[in-house]
Amino acid sequence: MPTPPEAARSRALVTTRHGGPEVLEILERELPKPGPGEVRVQLRAAALNHLDLWVRRGIPAGHWPVPIVPCADGAGVVDALGAGVVGLAVGDPVVLYPVRSCGNCTACRAGDPPHCKHFGMLGEHVDGCAQEHLVVPASSVLPKPAQLGWAEAAALPTTFLTAWRMLATTARLQPGETVVVHGASSGVGSAGIQVAKVLGARVIATARRDADLQRARELGANDVLRSDDPEWSRAARKLCPGGVDVVFEHIGGELFSASIRALRRGGRLVTCGATAGHQVDLDLRKIFFHSIAVLGSTMGSLAELETVVTLAGRGALRPEVGAVFPLREGRAAMQALEGRAHFGKIVLQVSDDEAPAAT
Ligand SMILES: [Zn+2]
């Protein structure tokens, strides 16, 4: 049988089964073809999220299908159009909306896929961006902000969309309010600092390393606190007498309970994750006596991502890239994510012909 031409093949980083980084392998696959209303994107960079760790480890058990290509986030160039696609051309640089949903329910029709029963992410139940080519609905790509490098563009969607929805939409953060942003060195934390500043708030950032606190200040944090100091919530109340207006939470564990104590009466805690533990010790008396609102938030809508992309295009938001690895070093990239030694996102350089901007 004749060998297919090289251009008809596409490389992908694949989580072949559940386990440690050793389950990641580079596999060659047939080049996908876009169907009606779809585009094929030649990816230049893809960004890792904690979701990729849960999927790879298979936690919770039975929830994640394998094999699967990781990375919800990606940026690249449109390289093929399906039938009926208008408004896009081959060669357009784009970032991907990382959400998948049914498209037909009340939430989807209202433009709010995070409330869809079939909500999911790229790299979760369908293949993600750690591959050279991905076919997606034409409606799910947005123009890449010109001043962002490929690595930065890939690092933008999930973290900034999540942070934007948490603070602007869910917690309704107001100009002049004070917000504690936890985990400043993480992708979503460094995004939270920038979004809070865009919204005109005063930011108290927390992290576990002094170097990360310094970087948080450079991103615009007005004050910084070590989150491993058991007295940090008391210190926050000293900086903001009466308590802070909002806490931006994504870590869980003990930090969650202490965050409730840092809030003023009538304050809001908004949470999108629990990387340090999802079972927390909560004194309900604080919640009702102090009229505390605990708000959950997941990802965001395409319209919210458009806002984020527009703000990034104006230079108001800029993703922090902690490290860039070539696609073939996907295992090392995931170990870097697990090691938490970097400030900002871990990014995979997907194509070899054009290096993404590393910072
Ligand atoms: Zn739906």
Side-chain angles (χ1 to χ4, degrees):
M1 256 182 70
T3 314
E6 201 178 324
R9 308 291 290 173
S10 183
R11 290 185 314 145
L13 179 71
V14 181
T15 302
T16 56
R17 59 191 189 282
H18 296 308
E22 73 283 353
V23 304
L24 292 160
E25 287 178 32
I26 296 284
L27 300 178
E28 273 210 353
R29 296 168 157 197
E30 205 169 307
L31 189 66
K33 287 194 179 73
E38 294 179 328
V39 295
R40 187 176 65 212
V41 178
Q42 186 198 15
L43 288 148
R44 294 294 170 83
L48 287 164
N49 291 287
H50 275 273
L51 171 66
D52 298 311
L53 295 179
W54 305 131
V55 173
R56 195 204 68 204
R57 294 168 183 162
I59 301 171
H63 192 63
W64 314 108
V66 282
I68 195 153
V69 175
C71 292
D73 292 314
V77 173
V78 173
D79 85 334
L81 303 176
V85 173
V86 292
L88 284 166
V90 169
D92 282 353
V94 293
V95 295
L96 274 56
Y97 178 52
V99 169
R100 286 291 170 276
S101 65
C102 81
N104 294 317
C105 70
T106 305
C108 286
R109 282 197 290 270
D112 201 18
H115 291 173
C116 172
K117 204 169 87 176
H118 301 284
F119 166 88
M121 303 275 287
L122 295 180
E124 190 180 37
H125 291 95
V126 294
D127 283 341
C129 298
Q131 54 182 326
E132 290 174 325
H133 299 89
L134 179 63
V135 167
V136 295
S139 58
S140 73
V141 302
L142 292 171
K144 167 185 164 291
Q147 59 272 71
L148 297 188
W150 287 113
E152 291 172 318
L156 184 73
T158 291
T159 48
F160 277 85
L161 179 55
T162 300
W164 181 265
R165 187 179 181 96
M166 285 172 77
L167 291 175
T169 310
T170 307
R172 299 183 186 279
L173 184 65
Q174 300 299 307
E177 285 194 316
T178 298
V179 54
V180 167
V181 176
H182 285 311
S185 68
S186 69
V188 73
S190 57
I193 293 169
Q194 295 182 54
V195 167
K197 294 309 293 183
V198 164
L199 294 171
R202 174 189 175 203
V203 175
I204 302 172
T206 80
R208 296 172 68 91
R209 290 180 297 231
D210 289 340
D212 293 339
L213 294 179
Q214 179 55 35
R215 189 75 194 98
R217 277 195 189 278
E218 290 163 15
L219 284 178
N222 303 80
D223 294 287
V224 294
L225 295 171
R226 284 279 295 248
S227 52
D228 52 352
D229 174 357
E231 295 295 309
W232 75 262
S233 62
R234 197 183 298 267
R237 294 183 72 91
K238 265 193 191 150
L239 289 168
C240 189
V244 303
D245 301 291
V246 172
V247 174
F248 177 96
E249 228 290 85
H250 52 102
I251 294 168
E254 288 177 12
L255 205 66
F256 188 99
S257 324
S259 294
I260 297 290
R261 295 195 292 275
L263 286 166
R264 67 163 165 85
R265 288 171 185 253
R268 295 97 79 199
L269 180 146
V270 60
T271 173
C272 72
T275 49
H278 57 270
Q279 300 287 354
V280 298
D281 185 20
L282 198 55
D283 184 343
L284 285 176
R285 293 168 301 181
K286 281 271 180 198
I287 303 290
F288 57 76
F289 277 136
H290 291 182
S291 306
I292 299 294
V294 176
L295 305 163
S297 196
T298 287
M299 290 300 291
S301 67
L302 186 60
E304 287 166 320
L305 183 59
E306 276 192 293
T307 302
V308 164
V309 165
T310 301
L311 288 166
R314 292 181 194 155
L317 302 173
R318 186 157 212 126
E320 291 289 305
V321 176
V324 180
F325 294 82
L327 187 66
R328 65 180 178 280
E329 291 177 20
R331 292 177 185 178
M334 216 171 268
Q335 282 168 325
L337 178 67
E338 287 174 290
R340 299 169 190 266
H342 297 275
F343 191 103
K345 300 286 288 179
I346 306 296
V347 174
L348 292 167
Q349 179 186 324
V350 175
S351 66
D352 290 331
D353 57 346
E354 187 173 340
T359 52

PDB file of all heavy atoms in Angstrom, residues 328-348:
ATOM      1  N   ARG A 328       6.901  17.454  21.953  1.00  0.00           N
ATOM      2  CA  ARG A 328       7.480  16.132  22.242  1.00  0.00           C
ATOM      3  C   ARG A 328       7.906  16.014  23.713  1.00  0.00           C
ATOM      4  O   ARG A 328       8.179  14.914  24.194  1.00  0.00           O
ATOM      5  CB  ARG A 328       8.666  15.855  21.311  1.00  0.00           C
ATOM      6  CG  ARG A 328       9.840  16.787  21.504  1.00  0.00           C
ATOM      7  CD  ARG A 328      10.998  16.477  20.574  1.00  0.00           C
ATOM      8  NE  ARG A 328      12.087  17.437  20.767  1.00  0.00           N
ATOM      9  CZ  ARG A 328      12.119  18.653  20.247  1.00  0.00           C
ATOM     10  NH1 ARG A 328      11.146  19.064  19.458  1.00  0.00           N
ATOM     11  NH2 ARG A 328      13.124  19.465  20.509  1.00  0.00           N
ATOM     12  N   GLU A 329       7.996  17.132  24.410  1.00  0.00           N
ATOM     13  CA  GLU A 329       8.340  17.095  25.836  1.00  0.00           C
ATOM     14  C   GLU A 329       7.110  17.304  26.714  1.00  0.00           C
ATOM     15  O   GLU A 329       7.166  17.907  27.774  1.00  0.00           O
ATOM     16  CB  GLU A 329       9.423  18.138  26.143  1.00  0.00           C
ATOM     17  CG  GLU A 329      10.765  17.777  25.524  1.00  0.00           C
ATOM     18  CD  GLU A 329      11.828  18.851  25.764  1.00  0.00           C
ATOM     19  OE1 GLU A 329      11.661  19.659  26.696  1.00  0.00           O
ATOM     20  OE2 GLU A 329      12.807  18.866  24.999  1.00  0.00           O
ATOM     21  N   GLY A 330       5.998  16.761  26.246  1.00  0.00           N
ATOM     22  CA  GLY A 330       4.740  16.901  26.975  1.00  0.00           C
ATOM     23  C   GLY A 330       4.805  16.353  28.400  1.00  0.00           C
ATOM     24  O   GLY A 330       4.185  16.891  29.314  1.00  0.00           O
ATOM     25  N   ARG A 331       5.565  15.269  28.578  1.00  0.00           N
ATOM     26  CA  ARG A 331       5.673  14.704  29.934  1.00  0.00           C
ATOM     27  C   ARG A 331       6.350  15.698  30.879  1.00  0.00           C
ATOM     28  O   ARG A 331       5.893  15.908  32.001  1.00  0.00           O
ATOM     29  CB  ARG A 331       6.498  13.408  29.899  1.00  0.00           C
ATOM     30  CG  ARG A 331       5.816  12.273  29.169  1.00  0.00           C
ATOM     31  CD  ARG A 331       6.706  11.054  29.100  1.00  0.00           C
ATOM     32  NE  ARG A 331       6.087   9.998  28.298  1.00  0.00           N
ATOM     33  CZ  ARG A 331       6.650   8.830  28.040  1.00  0.00           C
ATOM     34  NH1 ARG A 331       7.854   8.564  28.521  1.00  0.00           N
ATOM     35  NH2 ARG A 331       6.025   7.934  27.319  1.00  0.00           N
ATOM     36  N   ALA A 332       7.438  16.311  30.410  1.00  0.00           N
ATOM     37  CA  ALA A 332       8.149  17.291  31.238  1.00  0.00           C
ATOM     38  C   ALA A 332       7.261  18.499  31.522  1.00  0.00           C
ATOM     39  O   ALA A 332       7.266  19.057  32.633  1.00  0.00           O
ATOM     40  CB  ALA A 332       9.436  17.732  30.539  1.00  0.00           C
ATOM     41  N   ALA A 333       6.457  18.890  30.524  1.00  0.00           N
ATOM     42  CA  ALA A 333       5.560  20.031  30.718  1.00  0.00           C
ATOM     43  C   ALA A 333       4.553  19.731  31.817  1.00  0.00           C
ATOM     44  O   ALA A 333       4.275  20.562  32.685  1.00  0.00           O
ATOM     45  CB  ALA A 333       4.841  20.348  29.409  1.00  0.00           C
ATOM     46  N   MET A 334       4.008  18.512  31.796  1.00  0.00           N
ATOM     47  CA  MET A 334       3.018  18.175  32.811  1.00  0.00           C
ATOM     48  C   MET A 334       3.655  18.050  34.193  1.00  0.00           C
ATOM     49  O   MET A 334       3.048  18.408  35.205  1.00  0.00           O
ATOM     50  CB  MET A 334       2.264  16.916  32.429  1.00  0.00           C
ATOM     51  CG  MET A 334       0.831  17.045  32.877  1.00  0.00           C
ATOM     52  SD  MET A 334      -0.314  15.807  32.324  1.00  0.00           S
ATOM     53  CE  MET A 334      -1.006  16.425  30.850  1.00  0.00           C
ATOM     54  N   GLN A 335       4.901  17.573  34.224  1.00  0.00           N
ATOM     55  CA  GLN A 335       5.610  17.528  35.514  1.00  0.00           C
ATOM     56  C   GLN A 335       5.842  18.941  36.045  1.00  0.00           C
ATOM     57  O   GLN A 335       5.774  19.178  37.245  1.00  0.00           O
ATOM     58  CB  GLN A 335       6.936  16.779  35.355  1.00  0.00           C
ATOM     59  CG  GLN A 335       6.723  15.266  35.310  1.00  0.00           C
ATOM     60  CD  GLN A 335       7.960  14.502  34.878  1.00  0.00           C
ATOM     61  OE1 GLN A 335       8.740  14.971  34.046  1.00  0.00           O
ATOM     62  NE2 GLN A 335       8.148  13.320  35.427  1.00  0.00           N
ATOM     63  N   ALA A 336       6.107  19.874  35.130  1.00  0.00           N
ATOM     64  CA  ALA A 336       6.303  21.269  35.548  1.00  0.00           C
ATOM     65  C   ALA A 336       5.013  21.828  36.139  1.00  0.00           C
ATOM     66  O   ALA A 336       5.034  22.555  37.133  1.00  0.00           O
ATOM     67  CB  ALA A 336       6.753  22.111  34.354  1.00  0.00           C
ATOM     68  N   LEU A 337       3.878  21.462  35.547  1.00  0.00           N
ATOM     69  CA  LEU A 337       2.583  21.910  36.077  1.00  0.00           C
ATOM     70  C   LEU A 337       2.376  21.339  37.481  1.00  0.00           C
ATOM     71  O   LEU A 337       1.963  22.046  38.399  1.00  0.00           O
ATOM     72  CB  LEU A 337       1.456  21.456  35.149  1.00  0.00           C
ATOM     73  CG  LEU A 337       0.028  21.795  35.563  1.00  0.00           C
ATOM     74  CD1 LEU A 337      -0.202  23.301  35.524  1.00  0.00           C
ATOM     75  CD2 LEU A 337      -0.984  21.103  34.662  1.00  0.00           C
ATOM     76  N   GLU A 338       2.710  20.061  37.655  1.00  0.00           N
ATOM     77  CA  GLU A 338       2.533  19.416  38.960  1.00  0.00           C
ATOM     78  C   GLU A 338       3.484  19.996  40.001  1.00  0.00           C
ATOM     79  O   GLU A 338       3.154  20.084  41.175  1.00  0.00           O
ATOM     80  CB  GLU A 338       2.758  17.899  38.834  1.00  0.00           C
ATOM     81  CG  GLU A 338       1.615  17.205  38.131  1.00  0.00           C
ATOM     82  CD  GLU A 338       1.885  15.732  37.867  1.00  0.00           C
ATOM     83  OE1 GLU A 338       2.748  15.426  37.022  1.00  0.00           O
ATOM     84  OE2 GLU A 338       1.217  14.903  38.489  1.00  0.00           O
ATOM     85  N   GLY A 339       4.690  20.396  39.539  1.00  0.00           N
ATOM     86  CA  GLY A 339       5.700  20.914  40.467  1.00  0.00           C
ATOM     87  C   GLY A 339       5.424  22.323  40.948  1.00  0.00           C
ATOM     88  O   GLY A 339       5.981  22.767  41.943  1.00  0.00           O
ATOM     89  N   ARG A 340       4.537  23.047  40.264  1.00  0.00           N
ATOM     90  CA  ARG A 340       4.141  24.413  40.654  1.00  0.00           C
ATOM     91  C   ARG A 340       5.326  25.342  40.864  1.00  0.00           C
ATOM     92  O   ARG A 340       5.286  26.252  41.702  1.00  0.00           O
ATOM     93  CB  ARG A 340       3.309  24.402  41.941  1.00  0.00           C
ATOM     94  CG  ARG A 340       2.014  23.629  41.850  1.00  0.00           C
ATOM     95  CD  ARG A 340       1.415  23.472  43.235  1.00  0.00           C
ATOM     96  NE  ARG A 340       0.308  22.554  43.245  1.00  0.00           N
ATOM     97  CZ  ARG A 340      -0.971  22.910  43.118  1.00  0.00           C
ATOM     98  NH1 ARG A 340      -1.270  24.168  42.984  1.00  0.00           N
ATOM     99  NH2 ARG A 340      -1.914  22.005  43.141  1.00  0.00           N
ATOM    100  N   ALA A 341       6.418  25.134  40.142  1.00  0.00           N
ATOM    101  CA  ALA A 341       7.614  25.960  40.360  1.00  0.00           C
ATOM    102  C   ALA A 341       7.600  27.216  39.500  1.00  0.00           C
ATOM    103  O   ALA A 341       8.449  28.079  39.663  1.00  0.00           O
ATOM    104  CB  ALA A 341       8.870  25.141  40.055  1.00  0.00           C
ATOM    105  N   HIS A 342       6.628  27.337  38.591  1.00  0.00           N
ATOM    106  CA  HIS A 342       6.638  28.459  37.643  1.00  0.00           C
ATOM    107  C   HIS A 342       5.547  29.466  37.977  1.00  0.00           C
ATOM    108  O   HIS A 342       4.494  29.115  38.475  1.00  0.00           O
ATOM    109  CB  HIS A 342       6.434  27.953  36.213  1.00  0.00           C
ATOM    110  CG  HIS A 342       7.533  27.045  35.756  1.00  0.00           C
ATOM    111  ND1 HIS A 342       8.712  27.516  35.220  1.00  0.00           N
ATOM    112  CD2 HIS A 342       7.650  25.705  35.781  1.00  0.00           C
ATOM    113  CE1 HIS A 342       9.496  26.507  34.923  1.00  0.00           C
ATOM    114  NE2 HIS A 342       8.877  25.389  35.259  1.00  0.00           N
ATOM    115  N   PHE A 343       5.811  30.735  37.651  1.00  0.00           N
ATOM    116  CA  PHE A 343       4.795  31.774  37.773  1.00  0.00           C
ATOM    117  C   PHE A 343       4.091  31.859  36.427  1.00  0.00           C
ATOM    118  O   PHE A 343       4.694  32.238  35.431  1.00  0.00           O
ATOM    119  CB  PHE A 343       5.443  33.114  38.119  1.00  0.00           C
ATOM    120  CG  PHE A 343       4.439  34.169  38.507  1.00  0.00           C
ATOM    121  CD1 PHE A 343       4.251  34.516  39.840  1.00  0.00           C
ATOM    122  CD2 PHE A 343       3.665  34.798  37.550  1.00  0.00           C
ATOM    123  CE1 PHE A 343       3.322  35.476  40.203  1.00  0.00           C
ATOM    124  CE2 PHE A 343       2.728  35.757  37.899  1.00  0.00           C
ATOM    125  CZ  PHE A 343       2.562  36.093  39.234  1.00  0.00           C
ATOM    126  N   GLY A 344       2.819  31.509  36.385  1.00  0.00           N
ATOM    127  CA  GLY A 344       2.065  31.588  35.129  1.00  0.00           C
ATOM    128  C   GLY A 344       1.892  30.237  34.473  1.00  0.00           C
ATOM    129  O   GLY A 344       2.129  29.184  35.063  1.00  0.00           O
ATOM    130  N   LYS A 345       1.478  30.276  33.214  1.00  0.00           N
ATOM    131  CA  LYS A 345       1.034  29.073  32.523  1.00  0.00           C
ATOM    132  C   LYS A 345       2.187  28.246  31.954  1.00  0.00           C
ATOM    133  O   LYS A 345       3.210  28.766  31.544  1.00  0.00           O
ATOM    134  CB  LYS A 345       0.132  29.473  31.349  1.00  0.00           C
ATOM    135  CG  LYS A 345      -1.101  30.243  31.757  1.00  0.00           C
ATOM    136  CD  LYS A 345      -2.143  29.370  32.402  1.00  0.00           C
ATOM    137  CE  LYS A 345      -2.815  28.476  31.371  1.00  0.00           C
ATOM    138  NZ  LYS A 345      -3.823  27.620  32.037  1.00  0.00           N
ATOM    139  N   ILE A 346       1.947  26.938  31.898  1.00  0.00           N
ATOM    140  CA  ILE A 346       2.853  26.018  31.211  1.00  0.00           C
ATOM    141  C   ILE A 346       2.288  25.815  29.804  1.00  0.00           C
ATOM    142  O   ILE A 346       1.125  25.421  29.649  1.00  0.00           O
ATOM    143  CB  ILE A 346       2.943  24.662  31.945  1.00  0.00           C
ATOM    144  CG1 ILE A 346       3.312  24.863  33.415  1.00  0.00           C
ATOM    145  CG2 ILE A 346       3.934  23.739  31.232  1.00  0.00           C
ATOM    146  CD1 ILE A 346       4.656  25.462  33.668  1.00  0.00           C
ATOM    147  N   VAL A 347       3.120  26.090  28.812  1.00  0.00           N
ATOM    148  CA  VAL A 347       2.650  26.094  27.422  1.00  0.00           C
ATOM    149  C   VAL A 347       3.447  25.089  26.599  1.00  0.00           C
ATOM    150  O   VAL A 347       4.646  24.898  26.809  1.00  0.00           O
ATOM    151  CB  VAL A 347       2.790  27.517  26.823  1.00  0.00           C
ATOM    152  CG1 VAL A 347       2.452  27.531  25.329  1.00  0.00           C
ATOM    153  CG2 VAL A 347       1.875  28.492  27.567  1.00  0.00           C
ATOM    154  N   LEU A 348       2.761  24.440  25.663  1.00  0.00           N
ATOM    155  CA  LEU A 348       3.412  23.550  24.689  1.00  0.00           C
ATOM    156  C   LEU A 348       3.542  24.275  23.359  1.00  0.00           C
ATOM    157  O   LEU A 348       2.553  24.836  22.862  1.00  0.00           O
ATOM    158  CB  LEU A 348       2.569  22.283  24.489  1.00  0.00           C
ATOM    159  CG  LEU A 348       2.489  21.339  25.686  1.00  0.00           C
ATOM    160  CD1 LEU A 348       1.386  20.312  25.460  1.00  0.00           C
ATOM    161  CD2 LEU A 348       3.823  20.647  25.900  1.00  0.00           C
TER     162      LEU A 348
END
